[in-house]
Amino acid sequence: MSESPSILIIGAGFAGLGLALELRRAGIESFTILEKADDLGGVWRENTYPGAACDVPSPLYSWSFAPKSDWPRRFSQQRDIHSYMRGVAERYRLPEKIRFGTEVTDAEFDERRGVWQVRTGDGTVLTADVLVSAVGQLSRPALPNIPGLDTFAGESFHSAEWNHDVDLTGKRVACIGTGASAIQYIPEIQPVVGHLTLFQRSAAWVLPKWDTVYSPLHHALFKYFPPSRLAERFLIWSTFEFLALALTDVPVIKYPVIALADRHRAKQVPDETLRRKLTPDYAAGCKRGLFSNDYFPALAQPNVTVETTAITEVTPRGIRTADGVEHEADVIIFGTGFKGTEFLAPMNIYGSGGRKLSDEWSPEGARAYLGISVPGFPNLFLMYGPNTNVGAGSIIYMLESQARYIRQAVRHLGSDGRPLSARPEVEQSWDDWLQHRLKNTPWNFCSSWYRNASGRITNNWPGATVLFRWKTRRFAPSDYESPASPPA
Ligand code: NAP
């Protein structure tokens, strides 16, 4: 291996770009990003539904080394985030490092040569010393398993594949799902549709959104007096760390948060029948807590029905519920989330001895040392891997921790030369620690995309983000081993 190992990064979203920026800023140039689409941005390229925005304020939901003084508002819209990503990538000349329109289908570790062979959709095989998956957890839309889905005669689409050609004006629109996506587009479409029926299986825990439009004065202050910008970032970060502790180490914090959510609902939904429907019946924090000031008011409008009877089938004319009622609709919108627990799918990844990653993780679910390294898969690093999603906080902060760790690993590989994978016993004790912490979180008490069919919480990080930064602060070669050479 040369002093600067060759690196293939799969995905040009916040994870892949973030790692590329980390490497480039450290003077490491031997990387290429493979991106299946024709543009960078990941989920911020894909999700263009009306009202798409980030529910983490931008001063925190941005790269620490690339602050932006002129965000239009605290909680930015998708187009502003996407253009921020593009702007920073261009400033660091990253587009020249991205192979667009290149989808990875398979990757195999060649034990004899100690390199990864990566196959792309058009059959090309690329070789690299190091492979990094940065494909995210939320890039594959999930449609519900409802009978008759294909029989619907009107238009239907998933929130992440919004069909902007469909004019919703005056239409009867059926919305399925009440997650972070739905809560953003429902208030946007409600004023234009004829009637909106929201099919709610679980009510959301909703907190007030502390949004603000940043004035020219804010922009000037942030630009010419950087401590003000840092103070804003620190305040937001501390608030989210506080909320993260409510989910893990200091559960007593949840009581004032629950009281705030209850008050918000009581204030915004005066009608008692509707309020009862919109009151969650599961532990706060079990599903992602949401921030919105316009979701409840939209649901209280006369052209909206909140339907809580379970869906039994989709018919050519609409949706039938368990009480036998057929709710006619012109359009169905699925805000039904993503296949978040199927890490790295649909790629086929083969490590030492031809072992397949999806088999290694079956049936229990994905796991990795620090969410980054899998025993038996040398020189494979995961970004936004198992148990690195945050229940509260900025994923960019988490991704920066991973990028720093991988940059150190790459440096070590360059000087040592031998491929490395996490020691099984190190990964096992990491997982024991993780499972112990996860046992006491609210994520155990409902179903969500954080948990897979076996009941394992595969997605979330149990703690404050600063704890993850601490755990990943140093790449320790002693946590790793070299694969035994295959027989000649
Ligand atoms: P989601 O949170 O997984 O929500 C999916 C919704 O679909 C849930 O309400 C679920 O109900 C419902 N559903 C699924 N199958 C159903 C069925 N057969 N019948 C009725 N309802 C059904 O998906 P999402 O809203 O797209 O959000 C996914 C994640 O994306 C978020 O948690 C967040 O991490 C990320 N996101 C972030 C932002 C942001 O602002 N940063 C914005 C959007 C999304 P149950 O709850 O009962 O299962």
Side-chain angles (χ1 to χ4, degrees):
M1 194 181 299
S2 71
E3 230 176 68
S4 207
S6 54
I7 306 155
L8 284 176
I9 302 168
I10 311 170
F14 262 118
L17 294 176
L19 176 61
L21 290 165
E22 176 73 23
L23 295 173
R24 185 152 255 186
R25 289 168 62 240
I28 300 170
E29 287 293 324
S30 51
F31 65 89
T32 304
I33 303 178
L34 308 177
E35 167 56 53
K36 69 174 187 233
D38 294 326
D39 189 12
L40 54 77
V43 293
W44 295 109
R45 180 198 64 244
E46 276 165 15
N47 286 268
T48 62
Y49 57 77
C54 188
D55 56 13
V56 179
S58 294
L60 181 62
Y61 196 85
S62 47
W63 284 300
S64 59
F65 55 87
K68 179 174 159 68
S69 306
D70 57 351
W71 288 109
R73 53 191 319 135
R74 188 178 279 145
F75 289 84
S76 289
Q77 304 283 308
Q78 170 264 340
R79 61 176 173 277
D80 294 318
I81 298 170
H82 194 200
S83 97
Y84 165 77
M85 295 173 86
R86 198 178 280 130
V88 177
E90 280 166 6
R91 201 187 319 152
Y92 285 86
R93 294 173 292 100
L94 282 190
E96 68 188 34
K97 293 289 219 174
I98 307 175
R99 280 175 73 154
F100 290 106
T102 304
E103 179 163 13
V104 172
T105 56
D106 303 81
E108 191 177 342
F109 184 67
D110 179 334
E111 285 181 279
R112 202 174 46 79
R113 293 161 63 205
V115 294
W116 280 92
Q117 306 241 60
V118 177
R119 189 179 299 276
T120 68
D122 64 2
T124 307
V125 177
L126 305 165
T127 301
D129 298 315
V130 173
L131 180 64
V132 180
S133 166
V135 297
Q137 297 185 5
L138 300 167
S139 57
R140 302 176 64 225
L143 286 180
N145 192 10
I146 305 173
L149 220 53
D150 297 337
T151 64
F152 183 59
E155 298 283 355
S156 66
F157 49 85
H158 187 275
S159 61
E161 296 164 342
W162 197 274
N163 186 343
H164 292 275
D165 294 335
V166 176
D167 182 6
L168 298 177
T169 312
K171 299 269 170 64
R172 296 166 302 175
V173 178
C175 290
I176 306 179
T178 55
S181 303
I183 203 173
Q184 293 181 341
Y185 60 75
I186 284 172
E188 296 294 316
I189 64 172
Q190 173 272 319
V192 302
V193 303
H195 193 86
L196 190 155
T197 306
L198 172 61
F199 292 86
Q200 173 190 278
R201 192 164 63 182
S202 315
W205 282 99
V206 184
L207 289 165
K209 190 169 179 175
W210 26 302
D211 201 3
T212 189
V213 171
Y214 286 131
S215 66
L217 185 67
H218 279 117
H219 292 160
L221 203 65
F222 290 158
K223 183 169 179 187
Y224 297 111
F225 186 59
S228 65
R229 198 186 59 227
L230 287 172
E232 170 96 337
R233 181 175 162 95
F234 180 73
L235 215 78
I236 294 165
W237 178 77
S238 323
T239 306
F240 277 102
E241 291 294 78
F242 190 69
L243 291 174
L245 290 178
L247 296 169
T248 51
D249 297 283
V250 197
V252 67
I253 298 176
K254 74 181 176 213
Y255 295 110
V257 181
I258 291 172
L260 185 64
D262 287 343
R263 214 180 58 196
H264 188 50
R265 192 185 322 106
K267 216 165 107 189
Q268 291 206 315
V269 192
D271 180 77
E272 208 183 311
T273 313
L274 180 60
R275 195 166 63 237
R276 215 172 304 127
K277 281 186 187 176
L278 297 176
T279 304
D281 59 359
Y282 57 90
C286 182
K287 297 172 199 279
R288 187 180 171 94
L290 307 174
F291 297 98
S292 177
N293 298 332
D294 51 12
Y295 176 65
F296 287 146
L299 297 185
Q301 295 307 306
N303 68 336
V304 177
T305 308
V306 177
E307 181 56 66
T308 52
T309 312
I311 297 171
T312 50
E313 65 171 328
V314 173
T315 67
R317 293 193 306 182
I319 291 176
R320 194 182 306 282
T321 43
D323 51 10
V325 176
E326 184 178 34
H327 305 261
E328 291 191 11
D330 305 306
V331 182
I332 302 178
I333 301 173
F334 296 99
T336 45
F338 300 86
K339 298 173 183 170
T341 55
E342 297 175 14
F343 289 81
L344 277 68
M347 297 184 295
N348 299 304
I349 311 286
Y350 301 91
S352 295
R355 65 183 77 180
K356 192 174 179 189
L357 187 57
S358 54
D359 292 344
E360 294 290 302
W361 283 344
S362 178
E364 273 208 350
R367 50 189 279 175
Y369 175 51
L370 301 170
I372 296 175
S373 299
V374 186
F377 291 79
N379 290 6
L380 171 70
F381 299 99
L382 312 181
M383 292 203 64
Y384 203 7
N387 297 104
T388 61
N389 179 57
V390 281
S394 167
I395 195 61
I396 298 177
Y397 184 92
M398 295 290 279
L399 293 171
E400 283 193 27
S401 303
Q402 295 153 39
R404 290 171 192 199
Y405 183 90
I406 296 171
R407 186 246 305 143
Q408 294 177 56
V410 165
R411 280 256 191 261
H412 176 83
L413 291 169
S415 61
D416 183 274
R418 293 170 305 154
L420 292 179
S421 60
R423 289 183 185 280
E425 66 277 17
V426 169
E427 193 271 348
Q428 185 59 54
S429 83
W430 168 258
D431 193 61
D432 292 343
W433 177 82
L434 208 62
Q435 296 312 318
H436 177 71
R437 287 184 65 83
L438 284 166
K439 218 181 279 167
N440 300 318
T441 65
W443 305 317
N444 292 291
F445 303 115
C446 71
S447 71
S448 74
W449 67 270
Y450 301 155
R451 246 167 127 214
N452 69 6
S454 79
R456 186 182 174 91
I457 299 163
T458 49
N459 294 65
N460 277 10
W461 167 248
T465 58
V466 73
L467 177 64
F468 185 77
R469 177 140 305 180
W470 175 255
K471 294 280 182 193
T472 51
R473 72 194 181 284
R474 218 175 30 238
F475 173 79
S478 56
D479 290 343
Y480 287 77
E481 64 184 8
S482 292
S485 301

